[in-house]
Amino acid sequence: MKSYRVAREWRKLSDLDNLNYSITIFDDGDVCSICTDAGAHGTHVAGIVAAYDPAEPAQNGVAPGAQIVSLKIGDTRLSSMETGPGLTRALIECARLKVDFINMSYGEAGSECNQGRFVDLANKIVDEHGITFVASAGNNGPAITTVGAPGGTTSALISVAAYVSPMMMEDQYALLGPQGSPLEVPQTQRGDGLTYTWSSVGPCLDGALGVSIAAPGAAISPVPTWTLQSKQLMNGTSMSSPNACGCLALLKAAATAKGLGEWLSPNLLRRAVESTARAIEGGERVGMGSGLIQVPEALGWLERHAATSPDCRFKVSVDGSKRGVFLRSVAETRGLTSHAVEVVPLFKASTPNSVRTALDLKLTLESDAPWLTCPARLALCHSGRGFTVFVDPRQLKEGALHSATIRAKLDTEAGQEAGAFFEVPVTVAKPVVLVAGCPDVAWRVEKATPGKVERRFVAPPPGASWVEVTLKDERPLGEPQGDADSSAHLLMAHLVQLLPSTPYRDHETKQALRLRPGAEKTVTLALEAMAPLEITVAQFWSSPGSAPVSVGVKFRGVTVEPNALALSAYTRTPLRFTAALRDEVVEPRASLTKCRRPLHPSSAKISPLKSRDFLPGDSKGQGARQSFELVLDYSLVLEAGGDAKDITPVAPMLNGLLYEASVDGQMCLVLDSSTGKVLGVGDAWPDPIKLKPGAYTIRYQVRHDELSVLKELEKMVVYAEFKLKDSLSVPCFATAAQASIRSGASSAKALKVGESHAVVFVAPKDFPKDSKSGDVLLGAMHCVKKAKDVERPGGWPVTLLVPPQAPPEKPSTESGKSAESASESESEALKLAKALLGLKVKSLESLAGKSAEFKALHDALVDEGHGAHLPLLLAVLKHAVALGTAVATAGEAGVGERRPSVVAAADAVIASVDPGALSASLGLRALEGEAKAERELLDERRGALVEALTRKADVLLEEASLIEASDSEQTGEAVKQLEQWEDLFDVGKAEALAAVACKQLRKAGKPGKLAKYATGALAKLSGSANKATREVLLEAKSWAFERLGWAWLVQHEAEWKALNNPKTNALF
C-alpha cells in the first residue's frame, strides 16, 4: 500500500467496523502515518463543498468539480480536538500544494484577537501565497462577542455565520410551514430567513466586526461508511463555512472562464462577496456581517471592477492596536469620544515597487449613523494615512446595542458602486446604570417569538459579586382558553461579562430553558467588578409559538477582603465579609478538594524538526524557516498501596492558549515508565487520565523556530492535579484568639446592608495522606447561609501550600529514654565502622554481574570477617542471579551453569536467617515498649529469607521445565518452603512472586488457573512494576490461552503486545 497522496490508495479495516483508512509516509520512510476518521464531521463538511453524484445531481455539493485535499487537524487521541502541530502542518502543506482555498470548520474561544503563531502563519498563507481562507464564526451565540478563533478573530480570514432559510426549515427539518402550523412559526419561515440562535455574534474584543458574511448553516451531506448511513443532517457554522467556500470556488471558476484569472486574489474575491452580499431583513450586522453570500452578483462585480481594483489588503488600526471601536463601559458610553484611525495598504512581498508607488486613492468616508462622525475625504497612498472619528453615545438608548460603520469608497461613480475598500466598525453596548440603593432591574419581552433575540446591557452596582436572572413565562396558568398556546417554549438565556484577555466562555452562563405557562427558571453568574453584564434572551429558532416573558435581574453582593483565601500551615488568615447591596446572612465555610503536585523536568532536549515542519517562506519558496522542538520529561510516582487517581497534567505557562499562543504547538504524553506505553494525551485543555499506583513519565513537546524561546522553557514547572479522595474542611473561627487554640467555631451572622463581619480561617491540622510537601491544595469558599438561596457560582478560590513534614517522633525504650540516648554509649568508632560496611556492601551490590570486580571486593570483605553479614550474603545472591541471567538465556547447558551458584547463594542466606528461630520470634506478640528497631530487624530478616527462597525456587522450577533429570523433590521442597512464608498466588504480590507462581502452575499443568492468575496480576501491577515481571506474566497468559485452545485470545494478545510494550518512543 502506498501513500494516498501518491497513489490514492485506501483500505477498509474489516467488514465489521466498515472503517476506511489510508497511509502517508514522512521523513524519507522513517514515519508511517495511518490516517482515519476521528468522527463524521470532516466527511460531512467535504461533501457540502464538493460531493459529486453524476447519477443524481441534486445530491451534489456546492462545487462538485472542486478537488479536495484532506488535511487532518483533529487528533483522534483527543476526541478530534485540533492541536498546534496539526494546524501548523496543515498550513505548511497548503502552501506546498498551492491550494486555492482553505475551509476550516474548527475554532475555539480566544483570549486575544488577531495575534499568535497560528494567526501570523495564516495571514502569511493569505497575503503571500494567495490562498483564500474561509472559516466558521462559531456556534456560541446569541450573546455578542462570541465569535471564535481563528475564523472570527483573524483579519485575513473570511468568517461565516450560519443562516437558515424558509426552504431549509421545511425540507431539512420537517417543520410545519405557515399554513400548516397551529402556532406561530419561526421568523425564518415567515420572511427572509435569519441566522440560527446559536450562531456566534461579533464584534471582537478589539472592535473588529468578527463576522464577514453568512451562508446556509445546515446540510444533509455524506458521512463515513462506519456510521452505517450514507447521509446525515448536521448544522452549525461548520456547515456554513464550507458552503461559502464552495461558493467562492464557483466564483473563481466562473471568473477564470471569463478571462479574469490574473486578478482573482484573496483580497478581490473577498471584496466581491462582501460588496454584493444581501442584507437580511431584521438581521444584525454583528451577527451576519455583510449578509448572505450571492455568487452571481459577486461574479458581476468582478467583471466590472477586478481589472481596476488594487490588489492589497487594508490594515485598519484604531487607537494603536485595535481594529475597530467597541465601547461598553459606563465611562466610555456617557460622553463624546475620539479615536485615531490608521490605514495602511498591505501588498504581497513580491509586488513591484512601481505598483506600490502607483497607488493613489481618492476616497470618500461615509458614516451610516448620526452619532458617528468622520472626515468626508481621504487621500491614501502606499505609506498609509490616518484620520480621527468621533463617537457620541450620549443620546443612544440605555441597555441596547448600537452599531455603525465608516466605509471608504473611491470618489467616483464607479467607485461608489464598487463598495468599500475598507471599513471601520463601531459598536456601542450602552449599559443601564442602576439607581443607587436599588440592586434589581426587570423588564418584559412583550412577545417572544421564534428566532427573536432580546439583549440588555447592565452595569452591575459596586459590590455585586453574583447575579440571579429569572425568566418567567407570563402566559396564564390553568386550562387553555380557545386556541391559546399551552405548549412548552424553548428559550436561551445567555449571560456574559467580557473581561480583558479572557475568553468569553470563561465568564459566561448559557442555558436552554423550556418554559410552560406560568413557569419560571433562574440562571446565575459570578461577577467581577466594573465590567458590564450582557443578558440575552432568545426564543430558539425552531421553537414555535409566542408568549410574553418577564426578565427579573437581582444583583447579590457579599464583598470578601481579601477576595481569595490563601492559607499557610499554622497561620491565622482573617477575612472580612460585607453585605454590599442588601441584607444577607453569611455563614463562611471553605473546603479543599484538589491537589496540585509541582514537577520539575528530569530532562530537557531541543532538537531540529524535519522537513514537513519547515515553516513556509514566500510564494517563491524563499525564506523558509527551520522549526525546533523542546521535549521535556517529568517523573511522577504514585505511591504503592494508594487508590487509582484521575491525574490531569497542567502546564500553566502553556494551557488555555491555542490560536493566540506564542508557540507553534504544545502537546503532552503520559507514559508508563516501565513499558513506554502511552496512557493518555493532553493539549491546551487537558483532561484527567486515570492512573493506578506506579511510576509515570509526563512528556511535553513545545515547538518554535526561535531557539531562544525554547531555552526560556527548559526549566518549566508543570503540575499533576488530582481530586482528593475526601474533601478537607478548613476550620473557621469567630476570633483570632479562638483560632489560636482552635476553639469557638464561627456561626451564621445576619448582616444589614453595609455591615461587615470578620472570621479567621486556619489550615487543617492533618493533611491528606496522598499529599506531599510542596503540593498545593485547591478548593473554594462560600459565605451565604446554606439554604435554598442561590450562592455565588464557584465561590471564592482557596489555596493551601502543604508544608514540609515534621520529623518523626523518636521512639522510647523500655526505660523511658529515647532510642538516641540509649545508643549514646555506642562508640563513635563503632558507628563509623557500621556506616563504612554499609557503603561497601552497597558498592558490592552495584557490581553484580561483573565477575572480577565483584570477586575482589567480596574477598576483601570476607577477609575483614564479614562473610556471614546478611546484606553481604544477599549481594552474593544478587550477583549469582545476574551472572546466571547473562549465561542462561535458554537451554539445558545454561540452566546447568546457573542453578548451582544461585541455589548455593540462596541456601547461605536461608541458613544465616534461621527460618525456625525467625518464625518463633515473629509469632510472639510485640510487648508494650519494645523497641521499634528490633521489630524492623525481624522484618528485614524475613524479607531476606523470602528473597532467597524465591530465587531458589525460581531457578529450580526453570531447571525442571527444561531438564527431565532434574531433582523434582528438591524443587517441590523449595516451593513448599516459600509457600510457608508467602501466598504464592496472591496477585497483589505478583511483582515479587510472578516468575515462581507462573512456573509452578505450568509445572502442575493448570492452564486455567494460570490464565486467571496472570490476568489478575497484570491488572493489579503498579505502573512502576519491573518490565521483566510484566513480560513473564504476558508470556504465561499466552501459554495458558494456547493450552486451553483459545486461539482467538492468543492472537489478540500477540497483536496488543506491540501496543502495550512499544520499542520506540511515541511520536507527538
Side-chain angles (χ1 to χ4, degrees):
M1 188 173 177
K2 298 179 180 178
S3 285
Y4 185 83
R5 68 168 67 173
V6 174
R8 300 292 190 271
E9 292 182 354
W10 57 273
R11 298 286 188 273
K12 182 167 62 174
L13 284 178
S14 72
D15 290 332
L16 179 64
D17 51 63
N18 219 29
L19 181 67
N20 300 326
Y21 70 95
S22 64
I23 66 167
T24 302
I25 306 299
F26 295 107
D27 300 338
D28 299 323
D30 290 342
V31 175
C32 175
S33 173
I34 302 173
C35 189
T36 188
D37 295 325
H41 181 268
T43 303
H44 193 274
V45 166
I48 293 173
V49 176
Y52 177 56
D53 188 347
E56 196 172 351
Q59 302 296 325
N60 286 348
V62 177
Q67 300 298 302
I68 295 293
V69 176
S70 176
L71 299 171
K72 185 175 179 181
I73 61 173
D75 198 307
T76 305
R77 300 170 298 178
L78 297 170
S79 300
S80 80
M81 174 72 190
E82 73 269 46
T83 67
L87 291 164
T88 301
R89 285 171 173 168
L91 291 184
I92 292 170
E93 194 69 4
C94 287
R96 187 186 71 81
L97 295 173
K98 302 183 186 302
V99 302
D100 294 296
F101 298 95
I102 296 173
N103 174 77
M104 184 171 170
S105 293
Y106 262 87
E108 305 292 337
S111 58
E112 307 292 344
C113 300
N114 202 43
Q115 60 181 274
R117 296 287 293 171
F118 174 85
V119 171
D120 292 343
L121 185 54
N123 285 335
K124 174 176 277 192
I125 288 292
V126 175
D127 295 336
E128 295 298 323
H129 293 266
I131 301 171
T132 302
F133 200 150
V134 186
S136 52
N139 305 328
N140 303 294
I144 69 167
T145 316
T146 52
V147 287
T153 62
T154 307
S155 293
L157 274 59
I158 298 175
S159 172
V160 188
Y163 161 86
V164 58
S165 70
M167 183 179 294
M168 292 168 65
M169 283 276 136
E170 297 182 29
D171 291 352
Q172 293 181 346
Y173 292 93
L175 296 180
L176 293 173
Q179 288 74 37
S181 175
L183 302 177
E184 186 155 2
V185 299
Q187 182 177 337
T188 47
Q189 287 179 276
R190 293 184 281 105
D192 204 15
L194 203 62
T195 54
Y196 286 87
T197 310
W198 38 255
S199 186
S200 288
V201 181
C204 299
L205 280 168
D206 67 354
L209 188 58
V211 178
S212 308
I213 56 175
I220 299 173
S221 183
V223 289
T225 54
W226 55 261
T227 65
L228 303 184
Q229 55 185 343
S230 60
K231 297 178 182 66
Q232 183 178 339
L233 171 64
M234 293 187 190
N235 59 22
T237 54
S238 284
M239 284 68 241
S240 63
S241 180
N243 188 296
C245 195
C247 289
L248 283 159
L250 290 178
L251 178 60
K252 186 170 185 177
T256 301
K258 290 180 177 291
L260 303 175
E262 63 179 298
W263 294 292
L264 299 180
S265 68
N267 299 318
L268 289 183
L269 288 173
R270 178 172 186 167
R271 191 172 168 214
V273 296
E274 291 184 346
S275 297
T276 58
R278 178 167 61 86
I280 303 301
E281 182 182 356
E284 298 175 301
R285 190 154 194 270
V286 290
M288 297 197 71
S290 298
L292 187 64
I293 189 169
Q294 306 291 303
V295 175
E297 287 78 0
L299 178 59
W301 188 97
L302 286 171
E303 290 180 289
R304 295 189 299 275
H305 305 293
T308 58
S309 294
D311 183 13
C312 61
R313 179 162 65 90
F314 293 89
K315 179 182 179 182
V316 178
S317 302
V318 179
D319 296 334
S321 60
K322 298 177 182 177
R323 295 177 294 159
V325 179
F326 186 15
L327 309 179
R328 58 187 186 275
S329 72
V330 174
E332 292 172 325
T333 58
R334 288 306 183 268
L336 180 70
T337 61
S338 64
H339 304 273
V341 180
E342 185 76 22
V343 182
V344 178
L346 298 179
F347 286 92
K348 194 174 181 179
S350 59
T351 301
N353 286 339
S354 58
V355 174
R356 301 171 192 263
T357 304
L359 182 71
D360 184 9
L361 301 177
K362 296 177 176 58
L363 304 173
T364 62
L365 300 179
E366 300 175 355
S367 165
D368 60 5
W371 47 269
L372 173 62
T373 57
C374 62
R377 287 176 175 79
L378 180 73
L380 182 62
C381 297
H382 174 249
S383 60
R385 280 293 299 277
F387 58 94
T388 301
V389 301
F390 295 89
V391 181
D392 187 357
R394 289 174 291 184
Q395 302 304 314
L396 297 179
K397 181 182 177 182
E398 279 194 347
L401 180 71
H402 309 272
S403 60
T405 307
I406 294 172
R407 294 179 174 85
K409 300 180 182 180
L410 202 60
D411 191 11
T412 64
E413 185 177 343
Q416 293 293 306
E417 187 270 336
F421 279 107
F422 63 85
E423 297 179 349
V424 181
V426 178
T427 307
V428 178
K430 187 173 182 178
V432 172
V433 179
L434 302 185
V435 176
C438 183
D440 298 341
V441 64
W443 63 90
R444 179 183 173 96
V445 179
E446 293 298 338
K447 189 178 183 181
T449 57
K452 184 177 181 180
V453 177
E454 291 273 348
R455 310 184 191 282
R456 192 67 58 97
F457 299 89
V458 183
S465 48
W466 76 95
V467 65
E468 302 164 10
V469 178
T470 300
L471 273 60
K472 182 177 181 181
D473 189 318
E474 295 290 355
R475 288 175 292 172
L477 289 168
E479 292 296 325
Q481 301 296 319
D483 60 352
D485 173 18
S486 62
S487 64
H489 294 174
L490 182 61
L491 281 79
M492 299 292 293
H494 199 175
L495 281 57
V496 180
Q497 197 180 31
L498 298 177
L499 304 175
S501 298
T502 304
Y504 62 83
R505 70 175 173 200
D506 288 358
H507 218 73
E508 70 167 349
T509 292
K510 183 166 69 170
Q511 290 189 25
L513 308 175
R514 195 170 292 277
L515 298 181
R516 293 187 177 276
E520 64 178 50
K521 292 186 179 179
T522 299
V523 295
T524 63
L525 177 69
L527 297 177
E528 297 296 331
M530 305 303 291
L533 169 68
E534 177 185 356
I535 301 170
T536 295
V537 177
Q539 187 160 324
F540 204 66
W541 61 273
S542 60
S543 179
S546 62
V549 176
S550 63
V551 182
V553 181
K554 178 187 288 188
F555 287 99
R556 301 283 297 275
V558 176
T559 59
V560 180
E561 296 178 278
N563 63 358
L565 179 56
L567 298 165
S568 298
Y570 293 96
T571 301
R572 301 190 304 267
T573 306
L575 289 183
R576 186 170 69 252
F577 302 87
T578 303
L581 302 178
R582 62 182 79 237
D583 295 349
E584 300 280 4
V585 179
V586 298
E587 188 179 43
R589 59 201 180 279
S591 62
L592 298 161
T593 56
K594 291 182 179 180
C595 178
R596 272 192 177 183
R597 178 161 300 160
L599 304 174
H600 294 267
S602 56
S603 70
K605 182 179 181 181
I606 297 177
S607 306
L609 294 167
K610 295 191 177 181
S611 58
R612 65 169 167 157
D613 292 301
F614 282 13
L615 297 177
D618 59 26
S619 57
K620 296 181 180 180
Q622 302 297 316
R625 304 192 309 281
Q626 170 74 60
S627 284
F628 301 89
E629 67 170 0
L630 167 64
V631 176
L632 296 158
D633 279 359
Y634 301 84
S635 296
L636 172 67
V637 177
L638 301 182
E639 299 298 338
D643 297 323
K645 290 182 174 64
D646 289 328
I647 300 291
T648 303
V650 178
M653 290 288 286
L654 303 176
N655 290 162
L657 303 173
L658 184 56
Y659 296 101
E660 70 272 43
S662 297
V663 293
D664 290 333
Q666 51 164 305
M667 288 194 71
C668 161
L669 304 178
V670 178
L671 311 169
D672 185 318
S673 293
S674 64
T675 65
K677 179 183 178 182
V678 176
L679 303 175
V681 181
D683 68 332
W685 293 277
D687 290 322
I689 301 164
K690 186 170 286 295
L691 301 176
K692 57 187 179 181
Y696 302 94
T697 299
I698 300 177
R699 179 169 296 155
Y700 276 88
Q701 182 205 49
V702 188
R703 298 151 50 105
H704 204 276
D705 63 318
E706 295 285 345
L707 286 172
S708 59
V709 172
L710 299 180
K711 286 184 176 297
E712 285 291 326
L713 297 172
E714 284 184 315
K715 296 182 180 180
M716 179 178 71
V717 175
V718 302
Y719 296 83
E721 182 177 288
F722 56 90
K723 186 177 180 180
L724 297 177
K725 184 178 180 181
D726 298 305
S727 63
L728 195 63
S729 179
V730 180
C732 179
F733 301 94
T735 68
Q738 291 173 332
S740 298
I741 59 173
R742 295 180 179 268
S743 175
S746 67
S747 58
K749 174 76 172 179
L751 300 180
K752 296 292 185 182
V753 61
E755 189 178 357
S756 296
H757 174 60
V759 298
V760 180
F761 285 95
V762 295
K765 288 189 296 183
D766 299 317
F767 293 89
K769 292 181 179 179
D770 48 1
S771 66
K772 294 183 175 181
S773 173
D775 288 354
V776 179
L777 304 184
L778 307 173
M781 179 194 67
H782 296 274
C783 63
V784 175
K785 182 175 172 61
K786 295 179 182 178
K788 66 177 182 179
D789 207 1
V790 179
E791 173 70 281
R792 172 183 164 99
W796 285 263
V798 180
T799 59
L800 170 59
L801 179 66
V802 178
Q805 290 184 350
E809 294 183 7
K810 298 171 182 177
S812 298
T813 61
E814 290 180 73
S815 62
K817 297 181 180 180
S818 68
E820 182 178 347
S821 61
S823 62
E824 285 177 356
S825 58
E826 190 176 75
S827 70
E828 291 299 321
L830 185 56
K831 289 181 183 179
L832 180 61
K834 286 183 177 181
L836 183 60
L837 177 59
L839 287 173
K840 289 181 177 180
V841 173
K842 190 172 182 179
S843 179
L844 184 68
E845 287 179 353
S846 69
L847 297 174
K850 301 176 182 178
S851 298
E853 296 95 325
F854 186 93
K855 185 176 187 305
L857 181 55
H858 173 265
D859 290 350
L861 288 170
V862 171
D863 291 344
E864 292 174 8
H866 303 302
H869 186 50
L870 182 58
L872 178 67
L873 296 175
L874 283 172
V876 172
L877 176 59
K878 182 178 180 180
H879 176 60
V881 171
L883 285 177
T885 302
V887 173
T889 54
E892 184 174 330
V895 174
E897 290 183 35
R898 179 183 180 191
R899 183 189 65 79
S901 58
V902 174
V903 171
D907 285 341
V909 173
I910 295 168
S912 174
V913 170
D914 188 356
L918 177 63
S919 177
S921 298
L922 288 173
L924 297 175
R925 185 173 65 87
L927 298 175
E928 185 177 354
E930 183 180 8
K932 183 180 179 181
E934 294 180 19
R935 299 301 296 186
E936 289 177 348
L937 181 60
L938 290 175
D939 289 339
E940 182 182 334
R941 291 174 61 199
R942 184 186 187 284
L945 176 62
V946 170
E947 172 74 10
L949 291 172
T950 301
R951 295 297 187 183
K952 181 177 179 181
D954 179 44
V955 73
L956 290 173
L957 282 167
E958 184 177 352
E959 181 184 53
S961 66
L962 296 174
I963 305 175
E964 291 185 9
S966 62
D967 189 343
S968 59
E969 184 176 340
Q970 184 187 17
T971 303
E973 182 61 28
V975 173
K976 181 179 178 181
Q977 288 179 352
L978 176 59
E979 288 185 298
Q980 289 175 341
W981 291 93
E982 291 286 359
D983 181 354
L984 189 56
F985 304 111
D986 181 354
V987 295
K989 299 178 179 179
E991 288 191 41
L993 302 173
V996 175
C998 291
K999 289 173 183 176
Q1000 175 65 8
L1001 290 173
R1002 277 194 183 192
K1003 181 175 180 292
K1006 297 179 178 180
K1009 188 172 182 179
L1010 177 56
K1012 180 180 179 181
Y1013 169 77
T1015 302
L1018 284 166
K1020 198 76 174 179
L1021 276 185
S1022 71
S1024 58
N1026 186 284
K1027 190 172 183 178
T1029 301
R1030 200 178 298 273
E1031 289 178 352
V1032 164
L1033 289 166
L1034 287 169
E1035 195 277 331
K1037 189 177 175 184
S1038 296
W1039 180 89
F1041 287 163
E1042 187 175 350
R1043 292 299 185 278
L1044 292 167
W1046 296 345
W1048 59 278
L1049 278 176
V1050 174
Q1051 181 182 355
H1052 176 273
E1053 289 296 312
E1055 291 172 348
W1056 278 91
K1057 186 175 181 180
L1059 291 175
N1060 290 326
N1061 298 271
K1063 294 182 179 180
T1064 59
N1065 290 334
L1067 301 179
F1068 286 95

